[in-house]
Amino acid sequence: MKLTEDDLYRSSTQFTHWSFTLQQLAAQRQKTNLQATERVKANVARQRAQRAQQAENGSASEGVESGSGANTPNAVTSDRDVDCLTVAEEMTIVDEFCERAVQLGAHCQFPIEVTATCIQFLRRFYLFNSPMTYHGQNISRTAMFLACKTENSHQSVENFAGNFKKVTAEQILAPEYLIVQALRFNFEIKHPFRGLKGGHLELMEMARGNYDGPNHSAGDGGDGNTTSADTQSAMLSLPRKVNGPVSRMTVKDMEERITAAYGFASHILKNAALLTDAYFLYTPAQLWLSAHLLADEPLTIFYLSLKLPRSSPLYAKLLSTIRACASLLSSHRSFTAGTLPKEEKDARDVKHKAHVKSLIEKLKMCRDPDKVDLVKLNQAQKRDAIQGETLDENKAKRRKLERESYEKEADAFWGPELSQQEPKLG
């Protein structure tokens, strides 16, 4: 049995648990938004009632137990109706923190795999959680720390916290288990970077006349009698643009063209592919081929025609999927910015920043007051949380029963523990 990269991907948790259609993504985000909206309004109403009761009892100065600070404007201290975020507004905020993660990864000089994994952790987390419940600033820092460990770029939490001003190690660790649960303990993220690198090396071998892989360009069946020299000759005659004239390139010219396409495609994968829903909708192979299509369409079409006969239904389906993915990637601001005049680009950036700032301000007035302080929340939910001076009686009994059950299961499988007495000599 021969396993292909596609077979391996389809057996991964990324395909099984984190692949969606556009309709499924929209439905899940709508569900998440509705649940968060109901929870926020209920919790705000409850804490406002508590605050009013305290005021009646002459203890208003003590504040609300789970509030976000005495001097910080928030939904609890305001008398206005809670105006919650819409699905589109939530996505704008999530996208903003994903972009900040790119900047953070560059600032800390993390490998691109760390930054890319962090962003996918964020997008997965906020598929089932709302920014109104868990603020992006708290979650993004911890997601980056988790990504460092996932991608074997581990550092101590104290060193990691040093990348931020006035952030403690405890604040980094507080939402860690929360994120892990939301990720369903699925840590591996399959990225398209290695696939792009492999395609780049293969194209280089074609240009140098050393290609010995599948070749369907001569016909629809089999590899025919096409040699590596024929492949090289056809490649050197490729037009530079779609529907352009046939070119006459040297091997060096083609190598420079392939390198330029690789650089541009890599830029797309490190920006637009991460900052859209592309990972939810397409496979890593489709992602890198789509980025390469945007970088150099004639070269990418030539590459595909070697791998599959043009008459094959799979070829038409694959090309259609890649074009759809390319359309998604090219719609992102990071892609279109390079084609705009500087004045228009600056104007769009100013407008975008103003819009994001207004949403951040709106978020302050519709946050879940029960989830503001994640450090205290984490302490309260720890396995051996102590209430006052003694362990809660119900928890203690449950711990004891669980421990006894575990020991019985261990004895049944391994047998009872060996005696601790020392053997007698002589």
Side-chain angles (χ1 to χ4, degrees), residues 249-400:
M249 306 180 69
T250 65
V251 172
K252 183 179 179 180
D253 292 337
M254 180 53 69
E255 288 178 345
E256 291 176 352
R257 177 177 174 178
I258 294 171
T259 301
Y262 172 79
F264 190 30
S266 180
H267 173 77
I268 295 172
L269 293 181
K270 293 175 182 178
N271 292 276
L274 297 177
L275 302 174
T276 61
D277 287 330
Y279 273 67
F280 287 140
L281 302 170
Y282 301 100
T283 69
Q286 291 166 350
L287 284 173
W288 83 256
L289 284 168
S290 301
H292 206 279
L293 187 78
L294 291 170
D296 194 325
E297 183 168 335
L299 195 59
T300 309
I301 297 298
F302 175 77
Y303 179 84
L304 290 176
S305 68
L306 295 180
K307 304 299 181 178
L308 287 170
R310 292 178 182 265
S311 61
S312 169
L314 289 177
Y315 178 88
K317 184 177 180 180
L318 176 60
L319 188 56
S320 175
T321 301
I322 290 174
R323 289 194 185 281
C325 182
S327 178
L328 173 62
L329 300 180
S330 62
S331 66
H332 191 264
R333 291 186 306 109
S334 64
F335 183 88
T336 57
T339 62
L340 298 175
K342 185 178 184 304
E343 294 77 9
E344 185 176 353
K345 177 181 177 299
D346 292 342
R348 287 194 179 189
D349 288 343
V350 170
K351 183 179 179 181
H352 174 73
K353 290 179 180 179
H355 178 54
V356 170
K357 185 178 180 180
S358 68
L359 292 181
I360 296 295
E361 290 298 317
K362 181 178 179 180
L363 177 60
K364 292 179 181 178
M365 302 304 297
C366 61
R367 290 188 63 187
D368 187 340
D370 287 354
K371 306 293 186 181
V372 171
D373 194 335
L374 294 182
V375 173
K376 287 185 179 179
L377 191 64
N378 180 57
Q379 291 172 345
Q381 293 177 341
K382 281 184 177 178
R383 176 180 175 85
D384 294 323
I386 295 180
Q387 297 183 355
E389 296 294 330
T390 59
L391 186 67
D392 178 74
E393 185 178 353
N394 291 330
K395 289 184 178 179
K397 289 181 179 179
R398 187 169 67 251
R399 307 269 193 277
K400 182 178 179 181

Side-chain angles (χ1 to χ4, degrees), residues 49-341:
Q50 291 176 357
R51 188 180 181 87
Q53 184 65 38
Q54 289 176 347
E56 291 178 3
N57 296 335
S59 58
S61 59
E62 295 179 7
V64 179
E65 181 181 353
S66 301
S68 56
N71 300 319
T72 304
N74 56 69
V76 175
T77 59
S78 171
D79 294 330
R80 296 185 305 181
D81 291 337
V82 181
D83 182 18
C84 292
L85 299 174
T86 65
V87 175
E89 289 172 339
E90 283 186 324
M91 281 310 303
T92 299
I93 290 177
V94 172
D95 289 341
E96 172 65 18
F97 280 99
C98 288
E99 291 189 30
R100 292 185 185 183
V102 173
Q103 298 169 5
L104 174 62
H107 172 73
C108 298
Q109 298 183 337
F110 291 144
I112 183 58
E113 288 79 10
V114 170
T115 302
T117 294
C118 168
I119 293 172
Q120 295 315 306
F121 282 173
L122 282 174
R123 300 190 79 83
R124 290 182 179 186
F125 179 85
Y126 283 112
L127 190 57
F128 296 95
N129 294 277
S130 167
M132 294 185 288
T133 308
Y134 300 107
H135 198 284
Q137 185 169 335
N138 299 327
I139 300 301
S140 60
R141 293 189 299 238
T142 306
M144 185 68 81
F145 181 62
L146 275 172
C148 286
K149 293 190 285 186
T150 301
E151 297 297 337
N152 296 318
S153 184
H154 181 62
Q155 54 183 289
S156 70
V157 66
E158 290 78 15
N159 287 341
F160 183 83
N163 292 308
F164 310 92
K165 293 181 180 179
K166 300 180 181 179
V167 174
T168 65
E170 193 173 22
Q171 288 174 309
I172 298 295
L173 295 177
E176 186 174 43
Y177 189 66
L178 182 71
I179 297 173
V180 167
Q181 284 182 306
L183 297 177
R184 306 180 191 178
F185 298 88
N186 301 155
F187 298 108
E188 183 185 22
I189 306 289
K190 294 186 178 296
H191 297 293
F193 307 121
R194 291 178 61 185
L196 176 63
K197 184 63 177 179
H200 169 70
L201 295 175
E202 200 168 20
L203 286 168
M204 281 293 194
E205 291 302 298
M206 294 177 190
R208 295 164 184 165
N210 300 325
Y211 176 70
D212 57 359
N215 191 332
H216 294 275
S217 60
D220 293 337
D223 292 347
N225 297 318
T226 306
T227 64
S228 58
D230 295 330
T231 301
Q232 180 190 41
S233 177
M235 189 180 198
L236 296 178
S237 302
L238 287 175
R240 291 186 176 271
K241 295 182 179 181
V242 179
N243 298 323
V246 174
S247 61
R248 292 288 183 268
M249 306 180 69
T250 65
V251 172
K252 183 179 179 180
D253 292 337
M254 180 53 69
E255 288 178 345
E256 291 176 352
R257 177 177 174 178
I258 294 171
T259 301
Y262 172 79
F264 190 30
S266 180
H267 173 77
I268 295 172
L269 293 181
K270 293 175 182 178
N271 292 276
L274 297 177
L275 302 174
T276 61
D277 287 330
Y279 273 67
F280 287 140
L281 302 170
Y282 301 100
T283 69
Q286 291 166 350
L287 284 173
W288 83 256
L289 284 168
S290 301
H292 206 279
L293 187 78
L294 291 170
D296 194 325
E297 183 168 335
L299 195 59
T300 309
I301 297 298
F302 175 77
Y303 179 84
L304 290 176
S305 68
L306 295 180
K307 304 299 181 178
L308 287 170
R310 292 178 182 265
S311 61
S312 169
L314 289 177
Y315 178 88
K317 184 177 180 180
L318 176 60
L319 188 56
S320 175
T321 301
I322 290 174
R323 289 194 185 281
C325 182
S327 178
L328 173 62
L329 300 180
S330 62
S331 66
H332 191 264
R333 291 186 306 109
S334 64
F335 183 88
T336 57
T339 62
L340 298 175

Side-chain angles (χ1 to χ4, degrees), residues 2-52:
K2 182 179 179 181
L3 286 176
T4 65
E5 285 290 333
D6 188 61
D7 294 327
L8 294 174
Y9 176 73
R10 291 181 182 278
S11 66
S12 68
T13 57
Q14 183 166 329
F15 176 79
T16 305
H17 300 303
W18 301 101
S19 293
F20 305 92
T21 64
L22 284 170
Q23 294 75 18
Q24 288 172 333
L25 281 178
Q28 180 56 51
R29 284 173 175 150
Q30 184 67 44
K31 179 181 178 181
T32 299
N33 176 262
L34 288 174
Q35 291 175 339
T37 297
E38 293 174 357
R39 191 181 302 115
V40 166
K41 290 183 176 180
N43 290 341
V44 168
R46 174 177 52 80
Q47 290 208 10
R48 282 180 178 178
Q50 291 176 357
R51 188 180 181 87

